[in-house]
Amino acid sequence: MFRVAICDDEATSLQIIEALTEQILEEAEIEYEIATFEDMLVMTKELSSGRDEYHLLLSDILAVGMTGIEAAEELRRLGEKIPIVFVSSTAEYAMDGYRVHALRYLKKPVEYERLQEALLEAYRMSMNSSGFLKFQVADKLYNLPFEQIEYLESQGRDTNIITAEETISVHMKFSDMEQQLPADSFLRCHRSYIINLAHVKDLARYRFLTKSGVEIPVSQLQYAEIKNKFMKY
């Protein structure tokens, strides 16, 4: 369950951001819960209480009594590491967002595409934080450590997950599976393949070779970009 907190002291703005968030998460078929707040202090107390786990805070900055920056500073002081996306009518406080390690800074009126990028990035972060890929096949629940996955292969509407021990076929779109993988170690190198860079032995022109001896095709059009990402890794 992806849990989002939204804080804005303007009721109309709060309703708009909540509606857009619902639309984006429903289109992405992400199960979610949203909690809304019109008071920064109440929001800060709720998020720092530990009663519920939140995966993202969408917060206005300008508010009476306590600003969004001050609220974020208090959350960080209390050890709360929740990703924060500031949504503001002014860019005046953008640099302050870096001080509290904000994930994004969006300008009102919020652009759908920018909010979508922020929400999906935060969702990927929440899925990756455990270090496990979670999915279900029939009645069996999997909690597969990322490091065990060598690569993934698209097979129509299914995705094959290949480890050293087995190949697991999951009825899930390739793009949906990709969203759950950490982008710093998993690379989509071909329209039908995602490879775990930790399992790569070498890269030659238009193919990866895994440590287990499997050749994985690399997109010719994206070869230079993929090579650069592999070199950085």
Side-chain angles (χ1 to χ4, degrees):
M1 179 73 71
F2 184 57
R3 306 191 78 247
V4 181
I6 305 175
C7 187
D8 196 315
D9 63 353
E10 296 180 4
T12 301
S13 178
L14 183 64
Q15 292 171 3
I16 291 172
I17 295 172
E18 181 181 14
L20 286 173
T21 299
E22 289 176 346
Q23 181 181 348
I24 290 166
L25 295 178
E26 286 173 6
E27 287 179 354
E29 298 182 348
I30 295 172
E31 188 177 3
Y32 68 90
E33 285 184 2
I34 296 176
T36 58
F37 303 88
E38 293 187 26
D39 187 297
M40 288 284 178
L41 184 58
V42 172
M43 176 273 293
T44 303
K45 288 181 177 178
E46 170 63 22
L47 266 62
S48 60
S49 69
R51 284 190 294 267
D52 295 299
E53 180 185 10
Y54 289 90
H55 302 104
L56 174 65
L57 169 61
L58 295 170
S59 177
D60 190 14
I61 288 184
L62 301 178
V64 177
M66 174 184 262
T67 69
I69 296 294
E70 291 170 336
E73 287 176 335
E74 179 65 9
L75 289 171
R76 296 297 187 239
R77 186 184 70 79
L78 294 171
E80 180 58 59
K81 297 180 180 180
I82 182 173
I84 299 172
V85 172
F86 287 119
V87 183
S88 179
S89 57
T90 175
E92 180 182 352
Y93 299 92
M95 294 304 295
D96 291 323
Y98 288 104
R99 192 172 71 250
V100 293
H101 308 292
L103 179 65
R104 295 288 179 91
Y105 193 108
L106 306 181
K107 190 91 181 294
K108 292 181 181 179
V110 179
E111 294 182 22
Y112 180 90
E113 292 76 13
R114 297 289 179 265
L115 181 59
Q116 182 183 49
E117 290 173 0
L119 286 168
L120 295 182
E121 182 176 355
Y123 175 69
R124 285 192 291 269
M125 290 170 63
S126 72
M127 296 298 295
N128 297 343
S129 62
S130 66
F132 295 87
L133 181 62
K134 302 175 183 180
F135 57 91
Q136 182 173 351
V137 178
D139 295 329
K140 187 174 182 180
L141 295 174
Y142 283 83
N143 209 20
L144 187 64
F146 290 132
E147 63 266 20
Q148 291 185 12
I149 302 171
E150 294 188 0
Y151 63 94
L152 299 91
E153 180 183 14
S154 174
Q155 289 287 338
R157 292 180 175 271
D158 296 337
T159 296
N160 289 337
I161 303 171
I162 291 85
T163 72
E165 289 76 29
E166 60 182 334
T167 296
I168 308 166
S169 183
V170 186
H171 188 62
M172 182 182 292
K173 290 193 298 185
F174 206 48
S175 57
D176 292 341
M177 184 69 76
E178 183 180 14
Q179 289 183 7
Q180 299 186 39
L181 299 167
D184 60 342
S185 55
F186 282 83
L187 177 62
R188 188 163 185 170
C189 58
H190 185 275
R191 67 173 180 269
S192 299
Y193 289 90
I194 298 172
I195 192 162
N196 184 349
L197 295 176
H199 286 271
V200 171
K201 180 179 180 181
D202 63 55
L203 170 65
R205 198 159 186 81
Y206 308 138
R207 68 98 176 118
F208 276 114
L209 180 66
T210 71
K211 294 175 182 177
S212 60
V214 179
E215 289 193 355
I216 305 296
V218 172
S219 166
Q220 294 186 26
L221 291 176
Q222 296 179 298
Y223 179 76
E225 179 184 354
I226 290 168
K227 180 181 178 181
N228 185 49
K229 289 181 178 179
F230 177 57
M231 294 288 287
K232 287 183 178 179
Y233 175 81

